[in-house]
Structures are given as C-alpha cells and as structure tokens.
C-alpha cells in the first residue's frame, strides 16, 4: 500500500517525518497478506539472510542466523525515559527523554539509506476488540515484518479500525545499518554495535524507539515494548493488568473448566506449561497464551484475560516430543527459526531436540560446520543452537489451542501462578493465605538468569518480581501498590471471593548432585490438579509459616520419585526461608524506598514471626 492511500492525517504526517529523518530508498505500508509475507522472505533469501528448510519436512519454513552480538534482549540498553527518573524507579535504566530523543535522532538520521521503510499497522489483541491496542511499527527489517505477521495481527484491517483519528502507539525501529551505494547485506545480519543499541520507551507519550538490534523483543515491538512496558503504564492508569503470563485452560476429569495464568521469568517454562500434555489421567490442558496476559475486571466482578499476541516466539533448545509435543507440532510448517543448527537434510536441530543429527556434518548457529551430534546433546562447549535460539510460529497451528483463545471477552481467571528457577528453598507449590500475601509472593519472586537476556549474570539468582523486572514501564514500588489496590477494590465491592487464588510453584529444585528433583513438564499436571481443586477449597493442604502446602499424599508422586523426595519438595525449609526473608529485608525491599507498600513489610514481619515461632 502507498503512503498517499492512508486515511489518517496524523499517521501520514508521522510517517513523512520519519521518512525525512531516516532517508529510506522506498516506503511501503504493510497490508498483512500472504503475498506480502512471501515478498519479505524473498527479499531475505536474496540478501542471503534466510535459508529455506527442506520443503517436504518443513514446508514454508526458514532459518536465520543472527549476528553473534545480537542474540537476545539487551537489558542494559533498555530504557524507561519518563520525565522524572523517580517514575522509572530503581529497577529500570533511565535517561531524560529530551536527551535520549536527541541522541537517538542523531542515530536515526539517515539510518535507512539503501533500505526500504516498512510501516506495520498491528493490533495487539483481536482486531477491533475493546481490549485490543493498535501499534504502528516503522522498521527497515523485512525479518521484523515477517515475524510481526506471525506474532501480531497486521495490515489493512487494522487501518480500517484505526479510521482517520484513532489512537495508536508509534514505534520506531531500525537495525542501524544503512547501506552505501551498491552495498548489500550479503548474508551478514544487519545490526549496530552494542553501545549504539537503544530500546527506549517514553511512557508519558506512549512512544517506543528502538535502534540497533534486529532480535526478538528488541525489535518485534508489539511484544515486550508495547504489550508489557507501555501497556503496564496504561494498565496502571486505567485499572487493569498487563503481565508476563501464560494463560491456560484446564479441564478436570469431571468436565469442569478453569483458566489459570502464570508468571515465570524468561526461559523458565511458560510456553511449556501453556501446552502441557498431562500425565494425570482424565485431565486436559489447552493453550490460550504462552507469554503475555492482559486482564480486566468484568461486570460480574471476575478478572478476564486475553492473549494480545497471535503467535509463539518460543525457546527452541529443550523442546522435544517428550517435553513439549504440542510445540513440536506447532512448528512443522510456516515457521521462522532463528539461531538453530542446520542438518545435512535441510532441517533444524538443537540441543535436547530428542534425536541426533543425520549425516556427517551440521552447521551451527554461527554458520560453522561441525561434526553431526550422534545423540541430542552436543559435546560440552560445542553449542550447535544458541541457548536463546527461537521459533516464531502461528498460535493457530498449536493442536491444543483453546477454541476461545481469540474471544475478545477473554477468559475468567481462577488462579495466578508465580515461579522461577530456584535450586533450593522454594517448595514445589505453595498457596498464599490471601491476596496481599500473594502479592508479597509475587514481589519476592527470584530466578536464575537465563540466556534470554544478554548478561554476565546468567545462572545467578536475581529477584525478578512478578517476572516483570525487565518489563515494567514504571516504578516497581508503584506496581506492587497497583496490585494491592486492585485486590482491595474487589474486596470493597464484595467481590473478594472472585479474585484469583495465588500460588507459588518451583519446578527447578536440585539435589546435592545438581540434578532436578522434580521431573517437571507433563508431570506438572499433578500440581495443576492440586491447584485446580484448591480453587474450590478442595484437596488436602497444611498450613505452614510460608503458606498452604499440599499434605503428604495430596499430590501423588510421579513414577521414579520417592516419598522422601516428595516430602522434601513439599515441606518448609525453615533455615532456608529465614535466609530468604533476611535477604528480602536487607537487599530487595530497601531498593524501592518509601514506594514499597507498607502492606508488604507487614507480610514480611508476619512471615518472619511465624518462622521464628
Ligand atoms: P520466554 O519465551 O523467554 O518468556 O520463556 P518461557 O517462560 O516461555 O520458557 P519455556 O517454556 O520456553 O522454557 C524454557 C526452558 O525451560 C526450555 O529449555 C525448557 O525445556 C525448560 N523447561 C520448561 N519447563 C520445565 C520444567 O518443568 N522442568 C525443567 N527442568 N525444565 C523446564
Ligand atoms: C522473553 O525474553 O521473555 C521472551 C523473548 O519472551 S523476547 O521476545 O525476546 O523478549
Ligand atoms: Mn517472555
């Protein structure tokens, strides 16, 4: 579509200004059609950036290898540029918005020379639904256009809803690699050096400016930038929730249905839990979303969630027919793979894919030939796929996508789960004593840092409250307050009993030898069943100083797990918890200064007292 055809004068003006700043060779407004997608892929093939996969094994699938410096989110280059630094809070990087815009305007100047500018009209949430938000991403990356086609709803239908004066979140994106006369990408993933990368958010003006990275959440701006960082600010202002949560539908053997959301930090199991195949007979799990939930209270006082996305941008390594059969089915066709290995027969491969690689050689994510692994593990230090290699697949291809996944009303939520990778202390499952205690649990969530972020802390435990540490667009002390207020409001309106129940889970406890004590994956269905029944005040539990834990026997041990191990997983490590509480008091809560709600300090005091009592 041509610029002249646009019916929204404000949008047209914004694009014209971007064109004069960024100097692209051409401008295209995306229509969202299959032929447009095919054209993007063709451009990427011509530029030597895409490799077509074996069309019989994986029809319409393509592999990309990014630059080794551009493989995950860059948290230390991600900014919340609110007017006041205090609004960004202690956990976000901050630069004065005027100064940041000046710096970035300098970088954007002429940044699209030799490239086409694409304007992507996209909707987060079903097009035209009340809860959906429209974004406009200007980008010079056909890889981003193709990914956005899968991850969001793109095209003319969005412009129709926008009309001539509708609101949209303006998003700038450039890979930051203009091409000189006659220069081509020639197989080299375009991006800027790390010190020139900026992933910037301007919460007051609801703007996103991203420069220098072409990868994932840095570049697909509907996802973390809009649907979490900007949306969390909108949610605070408008009384709803924008969360880093999967949404799943559970059906019991009796045919009863409940919906549950879960916040786990990046690469800590949301996609896996969202598509779980239960080992418990008679139970069924279906997927509504795997990464982000937007939730609003309905007229009936219940909290309803929608998945604002249309696809999965999932972690590839570790995905196999045993761990996540439904993800394996979802990526059989029409899928983009990034930073996976390439086998001799033109298919993808990654660590723990469930089988060795055929033939003699394999090409790793850096494009180097390596001996083909005989098993599904590569020799130590010989990473074939990058640990944050990802697939981009349409949600509709998931065999267990819930029929209501695009219902604009959303689904009513019965429980929230919080969790992370905690090798010690945190039990398998723990139900909060009430809303504020649940908010307390969310606020102290911690996890080992994963490869989903470029960081020298990978493997170390850090606090990641509500799994939102890298995604909250404002002061986290105010964020905790927002959660407390929503609960108090529901209670004041007589709807306290309709609030979701809150649980803390941990699939990642390790024994003395560093082995996982809990088998995880499909066996997590045992924990989901206990949670399901607890929502109706059923299932055996015991009150403990830290919350309500399953009574011995309430969760049946999976095959191969001893009663002793079960007991260790489901009991309170008093000494460990005393250390946990001391760490929260000394190192975590003080960060938030006087914005840390007093209700949370009261919870901390109460737990400490119970642990000592
Ligand atoms: P993002 O997309 O980064 O937000 O991640 P995610 O939370 O969706 O994580 P995902 O489900 O993709 O899992 C990441 C890694 O954790 C994969 O390598 C999985 O194999 C592994 N994993 C998921 N669930 C479990 C589990 O129950 N137990 C164990 N041990 N590992 C798991
Ligand atoms: C995450 O890091 O939580 C992701 C991947 O879901 S990205 O979209 O790159 O943020
Ligand atoms: Mn995520």
């Amino acid at each position: 579509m041509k610029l002249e055809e646009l019916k929204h004068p404000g949008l047209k003006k914004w694009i014209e200004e971007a064109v004069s700043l960024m100097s692209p060779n051409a401008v295209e407004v995306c229509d969202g059609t299959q032929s447009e997608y095919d054209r993007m892929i063709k451009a990427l093939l011509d530029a030597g950036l895409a490799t077509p996969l074996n069309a019989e094994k994986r029809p319409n699938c393509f592999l990309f290898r990014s630059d080794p410096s551009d493989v995950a989110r860059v948290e230390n280059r991600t900014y919340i540029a609110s007017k006041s630094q205090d609004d960004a809070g202690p956990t976000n990087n901050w630069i004065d918005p005027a100064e940041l815009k000046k710096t970035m305007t300098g970088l954007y100047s002429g940044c699209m020379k030799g490239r086409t500018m694409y304007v992507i009209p996209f909707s987060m949430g079903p097009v035209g639904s009340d809860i959906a938000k429209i974004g406009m991403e200007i980008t010079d990356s056909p890889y981003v256009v193709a990914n956005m086609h899968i991850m969001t709803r793109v095209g003319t239908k969005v412009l129709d809803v926008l009309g001539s004066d509708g609101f949209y979140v303006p998003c700038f994106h450039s890979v930051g690699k203009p091409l000189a006369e006659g220069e081509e990408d020639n197989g080299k993933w375009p991006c800027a050096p790390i010190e020139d990368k900026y992933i910037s958010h301007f919460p007051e003006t609801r703007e996103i400016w991203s420069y220098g990275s072409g990868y994932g959440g840095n570049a697909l701006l509907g996802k973390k930038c809009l649907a979490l960082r900007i949306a969390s600010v909108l949610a605070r202002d408008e009384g709803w929730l924008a969360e880093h949560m999967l949404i799943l539908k559970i059906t019991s053997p009796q045919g009863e249905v409940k919906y549950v959301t879960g916040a786990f930090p990046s690469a800590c199991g949301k996609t896996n839990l969202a598509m779980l195949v239960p080992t418990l007979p008679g139970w069924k799990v279906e997927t509504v979303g795997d990464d982000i939930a937007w939730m609003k209270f309905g007229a009936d006082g219940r909290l309803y969630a929608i998945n604002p996305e249309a696809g999965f941008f999932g972690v590839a390594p570790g995905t196999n027919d045993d761990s996540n059969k439904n993800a394996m089915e979802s990526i059989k066709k029409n899928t983009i793979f990034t930073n996976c290995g390439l086998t001799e027969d033109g298919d993808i491969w990654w660590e723990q894919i469930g089988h060795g690689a055929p033939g003699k050689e394999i090409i790793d994510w850096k494009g180097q030939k390596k001996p083909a692994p005989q098993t599904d593990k590569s020799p130590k230090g010989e990473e074939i796929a990058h640990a944050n290699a990802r697939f981009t697949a349409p949600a509709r291809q998931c065999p267990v996508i819930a029929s209501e996944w695009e219902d604009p009303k959303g689904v009513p939520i019965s429980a929230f789960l919080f969790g992370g990778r905690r090798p010690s202390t945190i039990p398998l499952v723990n139900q909060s004593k009430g809303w504020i205690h649940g908010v307390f649990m969310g606020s102290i969530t911690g996890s080992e840092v994963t490869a989903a972020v470029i960081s020298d802390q990978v493997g170390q435990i850090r606090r990641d409250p509500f799994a939102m540490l890298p995604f909250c667009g404002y002061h986290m002390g105010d964020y905790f307050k927002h959660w407390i207020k929503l609960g108090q409001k529901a209670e004041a309106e007589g709807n306290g009993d309709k609030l979701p129940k809150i649980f803390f889970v941990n699939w990642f406890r390790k024994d003395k030898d560093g082995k996982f004590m809990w088998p995880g994956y499909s066996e997590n269905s045992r924990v989901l069943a206990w949670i399901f029944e607890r929502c109706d005040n059923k299932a055996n539990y015991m009150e403990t100083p830290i919350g309500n834990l399953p009574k011995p026997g309430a969760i049946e041990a999976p095959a191969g797990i001893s009663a002793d191990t079960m007991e260790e997983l489901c009991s309170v490590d008093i000494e460990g918890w005393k250390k946990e509480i001391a760490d929260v008091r000394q190192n975590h809560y003080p960060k938030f200064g006087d914005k840390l709600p007093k209700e949370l300090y009261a919870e901390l005091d109460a737990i400490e007292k119970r642990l000592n009592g």
Side-chain angles (χ1 to χ4, degrees), residues 37 44 64 70 72-73 120 122 124 135-152 154 171-175 189 198-199 201 208-229 291-292 308-314 336 338 388 390-393 471:
Y37 183 89
L44 291 157
F64 292 82
D70 198 26
R73 284 183 296 102
I120 314 172
F122 65 95
M124 300 310 289
M136 274 309 149
E137 179 165 353
I138 281 181
T139 181
D140 52 8
S141 164
Y143 170 84
V144 165
V145 177
N147 275 271
M148 287 292 282
H149 263 239
I150 299 175
M151 293 305 298
T152 73
V154 167
C171 313
F172 281 162
H173 172 253
S174 170
V175 293
W189 172 274
Y198 285 90
I199 319 300
H201 308 75
I208 299 162
W209 286 20
S210 165
Y211 182 89
S213 167
Y215 202 89
N218 300 331
L220 313 176
L221 302 184
K223 197 171 174 62
K224 305 295 158 129
C225 299
L226 195 163
L228 289 177
R229 298 196 190 96
D291 198 47
I292 299 177
E309 303 191 274
F312 308 124
F313 184 60
I336 293 172
T338 309
N388 192 42
R390 298 244 171 191
F391 51 77
T392 320
F471 307 122

Side-chain angles (χ1 to χ4, degrees), residues 5-19:
E5 295 169 55
L6 287 175
K7 295 192 187 73
H8 191 300
L11 173 61
K12 214 153 126 187
K13 182 157 171 276
W14 175 68
I15 299 170
E16 281 160 0
E17 282 165 7
V19 170

